[in-house]
Amino acid sequence: MDSPKKYFQLRFLLFFGYIRAIIENLHVYLYRLKKNIMNKRLIIVFSFCMIGFLLQAKDNLRIPDIRTLGLGGIGTAHSALFNPALLALRTESEVRVDYYNRYSLKELATVSGGLCYRNDILPLGLHVASFGYDAYRESMFRFSVGKQLNTVLALGIGIQYALLQSELFETSASRLSTDIGASLRVVDNLLITASVINLPSITINSEGIDSERIASWAAEVGANWQVLNNLLITGGVMRNGETSFGAAIGMEYQPFKDFHLRAGLRSAPFRPSLGIGYRLSKFSAEVVMIYHPILGISTGLGVAYTF
């Protein structure tokens, strides 16, 4: 009697082990399948984001410096890359490098470098920028000058060459455009600025793509109000070829010497920003974080040397 019982128990254990192995293998298979599906979805979503982003008529090269991004990105009020008249208001010459990483995707990063050289005759600026990766690259080379006409008014003009080279879409394009900027010192603590960028512009070469997407026109009006010695309020409105009117506001607070806290808000779409800056002797460093309600967080780092 014991032998049939043991045989039955052995058969039951073997059957149970077999079923358990099937369940475990099925669990592993479903886990891998789910992971592959998620990876494929991520690839599909990433591809659509990349294609949609790259096909926009958007100036990916023209970003303000990291300090300006922390103040809401009001380029005409703070960046000589948007307003060449600001070259004439500088009290020091500067060399800087900025890295801006959109939505934590290195393929959508912009690297830019520039020189703002102050002199009594004609202050000038040189800028270079690069956006994208090996299969899709946008580049820009820019020269600008500014001049203080009197105690309240300054004017500036810039010329830039933009180049697009794409293995991804098998296209290329190049464009030459100009910027015009002005600044008006209303009172000692209030500065009004205005600029028009990439207008007029001419197409040098265009193969299979609209060259305006690498040199989209834009107009901005901004203001800086130095409320206190350690508190700056800034704001502006803008209009470009791809969106209707937008607005931005920002503030910079200096709690103690050489350390700055920044915050900003920008519309179309709504994007808050936070930034920190620190200066040590002639060197300075800035960081920024910008939140997009759909695409997530973008970050930036900038370093500069003044002389």
Side-chain angles (χ1 to χ4, degrees):
M1 294 295 294
D2 291 340
S3 296
K5 185 177 180 180
K6 291 181 178 180
Y7 176 75
F8 176 77
Q9 290 176 347
L10 181 61
R11 291 291 300 270
F12 177 78
L13 291 173
L14 290 174
F15 177 75
F16 179 77
Y18 178 71
I19 295 299
R20 183 177 178 181
I22 291 177
I23 293 174
E24 289 179 352
N25 289 331
L26 181 62
H27 176 74
V28 172
Y29 172 76
L30 291 176
Y31 173 78
R32 291 178 178 176
L33 180 63
K34 181 180 178 180
K35 187 175 181 180
N36 289 334
I37 291 174
M38 290 180 65
N39 289 337
K40 289 180 180 179
R41 286 179 178 175
L42 287 174
I43 292 173
I44 292 172
V45 171
F46 174 76
S47 299
F48 273 106
C49 289
M50 282 288 295
I51 292 172
F53 190 90
L54 296 176
L55 287 178
Q56 281 185 339
K58 184 178 181 65
D59 195 340
N60 301 311
L61 295 164
R62 189 78 69 109
I63 62 166
D65 56 70
I66 298 303
R67 173 180 178 265
T68 305
L69 287 174
L71 293 169
I74 310 164
T76 188
H78 301 281
S79 174
L81 189 57
F82 279 74
N83 188 348
L86 298 182
L87 290 168
L89 304 184
R90 298 192 63 90
T91 58
E92 297 177 306
S93 298
E94 179 186 73
V95 177
R96 68 175 303 113
V97 177
D98 294 290
Y99 176 79
Y100 180 57
N101 185 10
R102 296 173 177 85
Y103 321 123
S104 300
L105 296 173
K106 64 179 181 179
E107 291 82 1
L108 301 182
T110 298
V111 180
S112 62
L115 165 67
C116 296
Y117 180 67
R118 179 188 176 277
N119 61 80
D120 297 331
I121 301 175
L122 192 64
L124 58 89
L126 299 172
H127 295 92
V128 295
S130 176
F131 165 83
Y133 61 113
D134 292 340
Y136 183 93
R137 180 72 61 189
E138 295 181 20
S139 305
M140 181 186 72
F141 309 91
R142 182 173 184 268
F143 173 77
S144 56
V145 295
K147 183 65 176 178
Q148 185 87 43
L149 300 184
N150 51 49
T151 56
V152 298
L153 180 63
L155 297 177
I157 186 170
I159 300 174
Q160 51 274 333
Y161 173 75
L163 173 67
L164 184 155
Q165 296 172 307
S166 173
E167 297 177 5
L168 185 63
F169 303 118
E170 297 182 352
T171 58
S172 64
S174 58
R175 198 170 179 87
L176 190 67
S177 58
T178 59
D179 303 336
I180 299 174
S183 69
L184 182 67
R185 179 71 65 181
V186 181
V187 292
D188 289 341
N189 62 345
L190 179 61
L191 179 70
I192 305 296
T193 61
S195 61
V196 178
I197 66 173
N198 294 327
L199 190 70
S201 62
I202 58 173
T203 300
I204 298 176
N205 177 48
S206 181
E207 298 178 4
I209 193 170
D210 183 6
S211 63
E212 290 187 1
R213 70 167 315 281
I214 58 171
S216 177
W217 71 269
E220 294 188 1
V221 177
N224 293 333
W225 180 28
Q226 193 74 47
V227 183
L228 302 170
N229 290 334
N230 61 347
L231 178 62
L232 172 71
I233 302 294
T234 184
V237 294
M238 61 285 299
R239 172 76 166 89
N240 57 37
E242 58 184 273
T243 62
S244 57
F245 282 96
I249 188 171
M251 62 170 290
E252 181 178 64
Y253 176 65
Q254 185 178 356
F256 51 87
K257 184 180 179 181
D258 296 329
F259 183 77
H260 298 84
L261 298 174
R262 304 178 183 113
L265 289 174
R266 191 177 179 94
S267 67
F270 174 80
R271 285 169 292 170
S273 61
L274 293 172
I276 297 174
Y278 181 73
R279 177 164 179 165
L280 179 62
S281 184
K282 294 180 178 295
F283 294 91
S284 61
E286 290 100 15
V287 295
V288 69
M289 181 181 68
I290 302 173
Y291 176 73
H292 191 288
I294 298 175
L295 300 176
I297 294 176
S298 301
T299 56
L301 170 66
V303 293
Y305 174 75
T306 56
F307 58 97

